[in-house]
Amino acid sequence: MRAIRGATTVLKDEPQEICAAVGELLNTIVQKNALRKEEIVYILFSNTSDIRSMYPAKAAREAGFSFCALFSAQEPQIDGALVLCIRVMVVAEGAGNVSHAYLRGAADLRRDLNKFAIALDGPSGSGKSTVAKQLARELDILYLDTGAMYRACALKLKKEGVECSNEARVASVIGGIDLRIEYRGGAQRTVLDGVDVSEEIRRPEVSMAASAVSALGCVREKMVEMQRKIASEQSCVLDGRDIGTVVLPDAAFKFFVTASVSVRARRRYGELTAKGYAVDLAELEKEIEERDRNDSSRAISPLRRAEDAELIDTSAMTVEEVVALIRRRIREKV
Ligand code: DC
């Protein structure tokens, strides 16, 4: 048996509102879990005591769920509890993973059960990290910049004087790497051997080295394992090259964010000059093309769009527009 949980809220204690909210909640649970009618054994509801105009069980029947046993109970009045809230448990035959559904005003309830991941892949300079940061802030979920992890590996190898060609040494150094991802004031800090290297890994020479290092199987294996662990613990948005294809192929939301080479070079130019680096735009354009070639042509986990990832070309879009588009997709599903 599977017990799938969920909750939703209504704005007013009115039968029409309750019918719409219960129908939406049950249909979301059915869709998310690919449930067949005959698998549902019974559905239990509870509602806060401010809902009096209709039993959720009756709303469920009207929404077409009359083929299974339905039961509603009223919750006691508890100070500080969410208002006008309907909770559900759908009990279905079969085993396996379940996907719970917390909608509308209840989206913040049980964040532990309502985990989801947003995968943002794409080439450097496509704007995905700016978008990812803003999304994480607005949705109050974690942002994981996976590129920073490959950059930290490149820095570590550089500090140890290990060449990428020496695979055995690379495997041993990266196998024992002391790399931690921490969050301070909501911002990711990349900590290598106990030292915060978040700024150092942004240096242009580390970018090129990271591209080379990230082509190595032993490095990817270690980083992917760390990324999956972080993503399994909470809702998060991850940006990288292989999130939707390799790291989290089952992510609820997948996007491939791209932009023309010249737009990306201009963006990088702006970022680097603002930090005081003297860089040449034409040089940057060449470098971006070279990194694209490296990242897309490598044998292991090359940069490519997952078949089910939505393509977003940000060349002529603002960050706000991209964030709004992704949030719309999330609202349609979560
Ligand atoms: O996103 P970035 O520029 O900080 O990434 C640095 C390098 O790491 C980039 O050349 C590609 C690589 N990378 C990767 O191979 N897979 C990821 N998930 C993230 C980055």
Side-chain angles (χ1 to χ4, degrees), residues 131-332:
V131 167
K133 270 184 218 152
Q134 191 159 324
L135 262 177
R137 218 177 8 251
E138 288 183 17
L139 299 169
D140 192 23
I141 59 174
L142 193 90
Y143 162 52
L144 180 62
D145 168 3
T146 63
M149 300 169 74
Y150 290 98
R151 287 169 180 267
C153 290
L155 190 63
K156 174 74 181 170
L157 293 174
K158 198 159 156 263
K159 289 195 164 155
E160 299 281 323
V162 178
E163 295 290 332
C164 281
S165 51
N166 190 343
E167 280 214 29
R169 279 284 291 144
V170 171
S172 122
V173 170
I174 298 298
I177 194 169
D178 174 11
L179 171 61
R180 274 173 292 128
I181 302 300
E182 296 178 358
Y183 292 85
R184 268 176 241 143
Q188 174 172 326
R189 308 306 299 178
T190 307
V191 180
L192 178 64
D193 293 327
V195 178
D196 185 341
V197 294
S198 310
E199 312 306 328
E200 200 177 348
I201 55 171
R202 297 290 146 199
R203 298 178 75 89
E205 65 272 19
V206 180
S207 302
M208 281 317 273
S211 183
V213 163
S214 66
L216 304 173
C218 61
V219 176
R220 299 206 74 82
E221 232 167 78
K222 177 86 182 174
M223 293 305 110
V224 168
E225 185 192 314
M226 287 178 68
Q227 291 155 15
R228 284 185 182 147
K229 179 160 190 306
I230 295 170
S232 71
E233 288 162 357
Q234 63 250 295
S235 289
C236 49
V237 44
L238 296 89
D239 78 351
R241 305 297 190 285
D242 59 340
I243 310 301
T245 51
V246 176
V247 181
L248 301 173
D250 295 329
F253 304 97
K254 296 186 188 183
F255 300 91
F256 192 82
V257 185
T258 186
S260 69
V261 170
S262 63
V263 166
R264 286 155 50 203
R266 256 179 285 140
R267 285 179 186 158
R268 197 56 111 203
Y269 181 82
E271 278 168 24
L272 290 172
T273 48
K275 283 188 187 161
Y277 290 109
V279 280
D280 177 68
L281 185 61
E283 237 351 89
L284 272 182
E285 216 168 284
K286 260 201 274 163
E287 234 176 73
I288 283 185
E289 274 173 325
E290 192 180 331
R291 281 177 64 194
D292 278 3
R293 243 192 328 274
N294 283 350
D295 295 344
S296 328
S297 63
R298 67 180 178 221
I300 312 165
S301 308
L303 168 67
R304 71 173 175 83
R305 174 160 85 96
E307 269 169 30
D308 51 352
E310 179 173 344
L311 180 71
I312 306 179
D313 185 336
T314 68
S315 301
M317 286 173 89
T318 64
V319 171
E320 285 68 31
E321 284 169 337
V322 182
V323 170
L325 171 71
I326 296 177
R327 290 201 62 174
R328 227 175 15 253
R329 296 290 183 262
I330 295 172
R331 266 199 307 277
E332 284 162 10

Side-chain angles (χ1 to χ4, degrees), residues 42-169:
Y42 57 89
I43 304 176
L44 302 176
F45 292 96
S46 71
N47 58 271
T48 46
S49 56
D50 47 7
I51 294 183
R52 319 185 73 90
S53 69
M54 187 187 233
Y55 292 115
K58 182 155 188 278
R61 210 161 49 232
E62 292 191 11
F65 288 78
S66 50
F67 50 84
C68 61
L70 299 163
F71 177 82
S72 291
Q74 196 177 73
E75 297 170 11
Q77 201 170 341
I78 293 173
D79 282 349
L82 208 59
V83 295
L84 296 170
C85 180
I86 298 164
R87 293 178 172 79
V88 71
M89 184 181 285
V90 175
V91 178
E93 279 169 351
N97 283 343
V98 293
S99 188
H100 307 283
Y102 287 81
L103 310 181
R104 302 190 185 192
D108 270 350
L109 286 178
R110 302 304 311 257
R111 273 176 169 263
D112 53 332
L113 296 179
N114 204 19
K115 285 193 292 250
F116 63 90
I118 308 172
L120 290 187
D121 288 307
S124 53
S126 58
K128 62 186 190 308
S129 66
T130 316
V131 167
K133 270 184 218 152
Q134 191 159 324
L135 262 177
R137 218 177 8 251
E138 288 183 17
L139 299 169
D140 192 23
I141 59 174
L142 193 90
Y143 162 52
L144 180 62
D145 168 3
T146 63
M149 300 169 74
Y150 290 98
R151 287 169 180 267
C153 290
L155 190 63
K156 174 74 181 170
L157 293 174
K158 198 159 156 263
K159 289 195 164 155
E160 299 281 323
V162 178
E163 295 290 332
C164 281
S165 51
N166 190 343
E167 280 214 29
R169 279 284 291 144

